[in-house]
Amino acid sequence: MTPILETRGLNKTFGAVTAAKDLNVRINKGEIVGVIGANGAGKTTFINMVTGYLPPTSGEILMDGKAILGLAPRAITRAGLARSFQVAQLFPELTVLDNLVIALAAAESPHPSFLKPLRTKARVAKAEEILAEFKVAAYRDARVTAVPQGSRKLIDIAMAMIGNPKMLLLDEPTSGVSVDEKGDLMDTVMAAVRHHGLTVLFVEHDMDVVRRYVSRILAFYSGEIIADGPPDAVLADERVRELVTGHSDHKPAANAGAREGSSVA
Amino acid sequence: MLSFIAVLIDGTIYASWLFLVAAGLTVIYGVMRILNMAHGSFYAIGAYAAASAIGWYFSDGTGSAGMSFLLLIGCAIAAGLVVGTLVERGLLRFMYGRDEILMVIITYALLLILEDAMKLIWGVNPYFAYQPYTALGRSTIAGLKVSNYDLALIGVAVVVGLALWGWLERTNLGKILRAVIHDREVASAMGVNVRRMFFLTFIIGTTLGTLAGALTAPSISVVPGIGVEVIVLAFAVVVVGGLGSIEGAAVGALLLGLSRAMAVHFAPQFELFVIYGVMSLVLAIRPQGLFGRTLARKI
Amino acid sequence: MRLDKTELALVGLAVLLLLGGMVAPGWLIFLVTIALAKALVVQGVVMQMKAGLVSFGQGLFYCVGGYAVGMGGPFLGISAGLVLLAIGVVAAVGLAMVLGLLLTRYREIFFAMLSLAFSMILYGVLVKSQELGSTDGFNVNNWTLLGQTIAGGETATHVVFLLTVVAAAVVAFLLHRYYRSSVGMTCEAIRENEVRVEYLGLSPRWIQYANYVAAAGVSALGGGLTALAAGHVDPDMAYWTTSGEFIFIALLGGTGSVLAPFLAAIVFSLVRTYAIEFVPHAWQMILGFTLLGIVVFLPKGLWSLFTRHRPEAPVVPAAPQKTSTGGAGA
Ligand SMILES: Nc1ncnc2c1ncn2[C@@H]1O[C@H](COP(=O)(O)OP(=O)(O)OP(=O)(O)O)[C@@H](O)[C@H]1O
Ligand SMILES: [Mg+2]
């Protein structure tokens, strides 16, 4: 089966910093993949490269077997690879409704109209549906600046899903959200994901959240994928425990040789 | 051959002048991220201050050229300190942290205010301060007569450039300033008093502007509007060189100075065109200017 | 076609102005004509401000529109006023289509400086061209409207007034629709967050380009009308301080309504008429302090004075779902 997303030998350096080192990732349709790794491990850089925001130093990126390296983010979005952002990327001074309506119009056509009104009845109705689905209907007419963090993240994800993508890359959907809200937020997101039958990769620091939703984990450390496999196996991996999840038994790194399925070839 | 040398000499003189005019602008932008539209007005204030002082000094028919140079520089520094302090304390410090483009508009407002303030102080009739210029006489280089004052300007530009460079690269204060330039937040977190650095930078930048004006005063007639003309030239220089870079300003000034001299000698109708033409060309090839850095937005 | 409040106001104001034109003194008609024509140039500035760009070079298109009207007669033998205006708009649009390729790569101060540079290039060319009167410019006369020669004097003033009011009303009407269209709203979205627009699958650069070109056309129309009204063009139309004046008027009015630039331009012209008479050397100073005042106290311009009473975006209610109207999707 052709993976929906595949990277081959992806590298990225920023000056002296290696943010990605020989990343070989294959993600198949229907998978829910969690990405873990400490701050600065290269998780966001991976998403940025895959979606065309940053050019990799070397390597290949394929979607459904076709090379997408070198395409602009807009082309990759239109090809069906959507993403959300670590810090929600919205239009702060516009209302939540307008944020969604703009996204809906963009999804309809890459060539927007000059004189036909943006806010049509059909788009507004659809936007209201989405607001309800993501439990943010209360903020319909509020400007984004007046919306709390958790709801902003939900709107950000909703906007990514508007274009009916094949696959969704979520960069820390719960960052900046209080601990008690995390569960509800993820439930809302995952309900929508299931409803639309999407393949998902999401970055998350909270291992409880990860364990609850994913079928597979990629563990990043210093630009490398040090473990890739089912959650239980990856979270039990010694190097992961030492370098990522922080429950290390304080064994020297050299002992961490026996690690479970390192990078998938 | 002769015209080639003429282009070289004229171009270098003009480049020195451009550098002097642009240096303060680029220093202020580099540290404070303020593209100061009012920099041309600082230049004009320096020119007016120097011209009226020179006029007064020579008014009784006597006076030595040597003293008049000290007077020029003294006036420039005094005007720079006064105006810089007034503007920074009275206006800019309340505006820090705003959008770069909004700062352009704010300093544009300042330009409008200063233009009329100068008219109210000095009137609208021209001022002349030619004595230091004529006192130095002329030299002949390869058969071309060149004013010694203009040649001295080249020296001043080199000294100012080296002093700025040395100050930024070789002194402790310079190190602190470079930290501010590199990352304001980090510098602030490391205990640098960023606001004090801003004040200091602004005073220095302003004084560089008034100095450029004072040094130019002897070779022009000082009239309303000179600052407005100069500011767009200074912009061209710093944009070509890369906003905020001293080396960039020097290279940009040379490039534009020589291009203009070439146009003046071979195609005078393109004199103004050439400066902005070169600027557009450089930006088309290197959007951040010759020495500029680009920063991608992190998402 | 249903008209909303702004569109009704537009039609009403245009009719009022035309009626007023029958009784108003010549100097006032002239003042309003020039103000409206300049307001059209300002509309071009506002179009770009809405998209997050501040053009310090809109005088370029103002000048192109004006010079096209002036040069049509002597160089092309065209005297029909409407054709001359159209030539100006087409020339500006053509120029903008070329410059836009470069300019749309820039944002913020780089866009401001580069647009300024382009207008200064035109200025530099014009002051050096003897056949166009170099710094003095030249007079624009002997044009016709629908076959009638407009000789100058009273009739000319009235004819240009009529032309300008109609043009301003039509452009404002279209702009009002444009600002609510997909492109218009996407321009605001680009100002707010370009990265997000890109990730919605749109090309911010293409939309900025379209907006830039359209703004050039609108501004050129203003320039052409100014040339007809003033009967004169000169290189100062492209000097950067002229563009600064347009920015001033744009900020004075604000971007809140398509009517704002007209209001601001008329206020500007009235104040200037008196200021130049009574305090000739303090006029710019007044402008400067006003500009600072606007930036600090009235960042959305004079227009926000009219909309102040409306509540800001509603304060967030505690219970979610309260105002939920749409059907549940999941
Ligand atoms: N645009 C950039 N320019 C320079 N360095 C960058 C850039 N983007 C990321 N980096 C560096 O690359 C490394 C990886 O960063 P990245 O943002 O991918 O980490 P991350 O795993 O997403 O971390 P976090 O959990 O904090 O979001 C870091 O050292 C970071 O400083
Ligand atoms: Mg990250």
Side-chain angles (χ1 to χ4, degrees):
Chain A
M1 180 160 105
T2 324
I4 194 163
L5 177 71
E6 178 176 5
T7 67
R8 295 183 189 152
L10 213 52
N11 288 296
K12 178 76 189 175
T13 52
F14 296 105
V17 177
T18 303
K21 194 168 168 195
D22 192 30
L23 300 181
N24 297 289
V25 175
R26 292 163 66 102
I27 292 167
N28 291 315
K29 191 166 167 20
E31 276 193 292
I32 308 278
V33 181
V35 171
I36 60 174
N39 292 116
K43 308 176 297 291
T44 300
T45 302
F46 175 72
I47 294 182
N48 282 346
M49 288 190 294
V50 165
T51 59
Y53 188 72
L54 287 176
T57 312
S58 63
E60 282 178 80
I61 306 169
L62 302 117
M63 188 183 166
D64 286 332
K66 284 190 285 282
I68 55 168
L69 183 63
L71 295 182
R74 59 176 176 278
I76 294 176
T77 303
R78 291 215 174 270
L81 194 58
R83 73 172 288 185
S84 75
F85 301 84
Q86 194 161 344
V87 175
Q89 298 292 320
L90 305 172
F91 309 125
E93 290 296 324
L94 305 185
T95 65
V96 170
L97 184 71
D98 279 347
N99 269 266
L100 291 181
V101 170
I102 288 169
L104 282 164
E108 285 165 28
S109 153
H111 303 294
S113 156
F114 282 84
L115 289 174
K116 281 197 214 128
L118 172 84
R119 252 184 248 119
T120 59
K121 276 209 184 88
R123 284 186 197 134
V124 170
K126 182 82 186 119
E128 282 169 345
E129 239 173 68
I130 295 166
L131 288 171
E133 179 177 5
F134 283 85
K135 303 201 168 66
V136 286
Y139 307 116
R140 180 184 186 275
D141 298 313
R143 278 200 244 151
V144 168
T145 44
V147 174
Q149 201 57 42
S151 301
R152 281 191 216 183
K153 300 287 290 195
L154 282 167
I155 298 163
D156 188 57
I157 294 166
M159 281 171 87
M161 288 175 60
I162 276 176
N164 282 325
K166 294 180 190 142
M167 179 175 177
L168 198 53
L169 304 164
L170 304 176
D171 197 353
E172 301 197 21
T174 66
S175 75
V177 178
S178 73
V179 184
D180 2 317
E181 286 172 287
K182 274 188 184 176
D184 283 350
L185 188 149
M186 282 309 292
D187 283 344
T188 309
V189 172
M190 293 317 281
V193 161
R194 263 177 244 121
H195 181 239
H196 295 272
L198 297 178
T199 307
V200 176
L201 176 146
F202 76 88
V203 177
E204 177 57 57
H205 282 290
D206 187 329
M207 293 309 142
D208 294 335
V209 173
V210 175
R211 217 191 288 266
R212 193 150 144 220
Y213 297 103
V214 306
S215 54
R216 174 180 160 197
I217 291 180
L218 298 176
F220 276 66
Y221 174 73
S222 189
E224 273 184 272
I225 294 180
I226 56 167
D228 177 353
D232 292 337
V234 171
L235 293 177
D237 181 289
E238 209 151 326
R239 271 189 85 197
V240 172
R241 284 162 63 98
E242 183 179 351
L243 300 170
V244 182
T245 52
H247 305 296
S248 120
D249 307 327
H250 299 290
K251 281 180 192 155
N255 288 0
R259 63 177 193 266
E260 204 126 353
S262 52
S263 350
V264 171
Chain B
M1 189 59 204
L2 200 63
S3 57
F4 174 74
I5 292 173
V7 165
L8 213 58
I9 294 173
D10 281 0
T12 315
I13 291 171
Y14 193 64
S16 309
W17 178 77
L18 280 177
F19 176 75
L20 285 173
V21 167
L25 189 66
T26 210
V27 167
I28 290 178
Y29 182 83
V31 177
M32 305 169 75
R33 303 281 134 181
I34 296 175
L35 189 59
N36 180 18
M37 280 257 173
H39 194 70
S41 309
F42 298 160
Y43 165 91
I45 288 171
Y48 268 116
S52 37
I54 294 286
W56 163 82
Y57 179 64
F58 284 99
S59 59
D60 56 358
T62 59
S64 78
M67 266 309 288
S68 71
F69 292 117
L70 288 182
L71 201 58
L72 278 182
I73 293 172
C75 278
I77 292 174
L81 290 179
V82 172
V83 176
T85 308
L86 278 178
V87 169
E88 206 276 345
R89 292 284 93 188
L91 175 68
L92 289 185
R93 71 181 166 122
F94 304 111
M95 304 292 173
Y96 291 148
R98 287 177 197 250
D99 247 18
E100 280 185 27
I101 193 75
L102 210 55
M103 293 308 288
V104 171
I105 288 166
I106 288 166
T107 54
Y108 175 60
L110 181 62
L111 170 149
L112 292 171
I113 294 167
L114 291 178
E115 285 304 302
D116 273 0
M118 283 185 272
K119 282 188 205 146
L120 292 175
I121 297 173
W122 282 287
V124 290
N125 294 322
Y127 279 67
F128 299 98
Y130 54 85
Q131 291 87 347
Y133 193 84
T134 47
L136 282 190
R138 289 163 168 233
S139 315
T140 308
I141 301 176
L144 293 163
K145 284 211 184 315
V146 187
S147 149
N148 285 334
Y149 188 88
D150 287 341
L151 290 178
L153 209 61
I154 300 178
V156 175
V158 171
V159 169
V160 167
L162 287 179
L164 276 177
W165 180 83
W167 177 58
L168 275 175
E169 301 291 324
R170 290 277 181 272
T171 65
N172 263 336
L173 194 59
K175 216 180 272 172
I176 296 173
L177 275 179
R178 274 185 294 143
V180 175
I181 292 171
H182 187 72
D183 193 328
R184 199 179 289 175
E185 272 84 48
V186 172
S188 178
M190 288 182 339
V192 175
N193 186 341
V194 173
R195 287 187 160 246
R196 237 183 52 212
M197 290 301 129
F198 279 12
F199 178 58
L200 185 75
T201 305
F202 194 75
I203 296 284
I204 288 169
T206 311
T207 308
L208 284 168
T210 53
L211 182 68
L215 291 174
T216 312
S219 47
I220 59 170
S221 59
V222 182
V223 290
I226 51 172
V228 174
E229 263 169 52
V230 154
I231 184 63
V232 288
L233 291 175
F235 278 148
V237 172
V238 298
V239 168
V240 165
L243 281 168
S245 154
I246 305 274
E247 312 90 285
V251 175
L254 266 176
L255 186 63
L256 293 181
L258 291 172
S259 309
R260 194 196 83 132
M262 215 125 58
V264 167
H265 279 267
F266 302 117
Q269 67 275 26
F270 290 129
E271 181 192 335
L272 257 183
F273 176 92
V274 97
I275 289 191
Y276 302 105
V278 169
M279 163 178 163
S280 309
L281 198 69
V282 169
L283 283 191
I285 299 164
R286 260 186 82 83
Q288 70 279 29
L290 297 174
F291 287 73
R293 289 180 301 151
T294 39
L295 290 175
R297 188 175 139 204
K298 275 201 190 176
I299 51 173
Chain C
M1 189 162 67
R2 290 262 304 277
L3 300 182
D4 69 16
K5 259 197 302 192
T6 306
E7 289 162 346
L8 285 173
L10 259 173
V11 175
L13 284 173
V15 171
L16 270 181
L17 274 174
L18 291 177
L19 290 177
M22 294 190 203
V23 291
W27 68 267
L28 184 60
I29 294 183
F30 181 73
L31 185 146
V32 172
T33 307
I34 296 281
L36 292 181
K38 280 200 177 169
L40 280 177
V41 189
V42 174
Q43 295 284 12
V45 174
V46 170
M47 286 169 79
Q48 293 172 78
M49 273 185 183
K50 275 185 164 268
L53 298 175
V54 178
S55 165
F56 256 93
Q58 206 61 13
L60 174 67
F61 302 115
Y62 174 62
C63 187
V64 166
Y67 268 70
V69 164
M71 287 159 66
F75 290 87
L76 302 173
I78 294 169
S79 63
L82 296 179
V83 177
L84 291 173
L85 288 172
I87 291 176
V89 172
V90 169
V93 164
L95 181 62
M97 287 171 82
V98 177
L99 298 185
L101 294 177
L102 181 65
L103 268 170
T104 48
R105 289 166 58 188
Y106 300 88
R107 300 287 177 266
E108 302 245 321
I109 53 175
F110 286 93
F111 179 86
M113 289 307 110
L114 204 56
S115 60
L116 181 150
F118 284 140
S119 76
M120 289 303 289
I121 288 180
L122 180 64
Y123 174 82
V125 169
L126 290 178
V127 295
K128 292 280 178 183
S129 38
Q130 301 298 329
E131 55 282 20
L132 293 178
S134 60
T135 49
D136 293 335
F138 58 93
N139 287 337
V140 179
N141 39 34
N142 295 325
W143 53 283
T144 61
L145 187 68
L146 308 175
Q148 306 286 311
T149 306
I150 311 297
E154 277 287 287
T155 8
T157 311
H158 278 92
V159 168
V160 183
F161 175 70
L162 184 114
L163 210 56
T164 307
V165 171
V166 172
V170 171
V171 169
F173 193 89
L174 291 175
L175 279 180
H176 182 64
R177 298 251 151 146
Y178 174 67
Y179 291 145
R180 273 153 189 70
S181 75
S182 301
V183 173
M185 286 294 286
T186 309
C187 280
E188 293 197 46
I190 293 171
R191 175 197 69 213
E192 291 292 309
N193 192 341
E194 191 159 342
V195 169
R196 170 49 93 180
V197 173
E198 173 84 35
Y199 272 106
L200 289 177
L202 298 173
S203 164
R205 190 168 168 201
W206 187 86
I207 290 166
Q208 288 281 23
Y209 181 76
N211 190 53
Y212 175 78
V213 172
V218 171
S219 293
L221 182 60
L225 289 166
T226 308
L228 291 182
H232 184 82
V233 290
D234 62 41
D236 275 348
M237 293 175 89
Y239 200 63
W240 74 272
T241 49
T242 308
S243 303
E245 201 173 287
F246 296 137
I247 293 180
F248 178 91
I249 299 173
L251 291 171
L252 181 65
T255 58
S257 161
V258 77
L259 294 171
F262 296 114
L263 171 78
I266 289 175
V267 170
F268 179 86
S269 300
L270 281 174
V271 175
R272 182 169 68 176
T273 310
Y274 290 105
I276 288 190
E277 195 169 325
F278 296 115
V279 281
H281 296 329
W283 157 238
Q284 295 194 81
M285 196 179 267
I286 295 172
L287 284 187
F289 280 115
T290 312
L291 191 50
L292 284 181
I294 295 170
V295 168
V296 175
F297 300 111
L298 210 58
K300 303 213 160 154
L302 284 181
W303 197 259
S304 58
L305 293 178
F306 299 104
T307 50
R308 271 268 166 92
H309 58 276
R310 281 191 211 152
E312 280 288 286
V315 179
V316 174
Q321 298 296 2
K322 200 170 111 194
T323 59
S324 167
T325 42

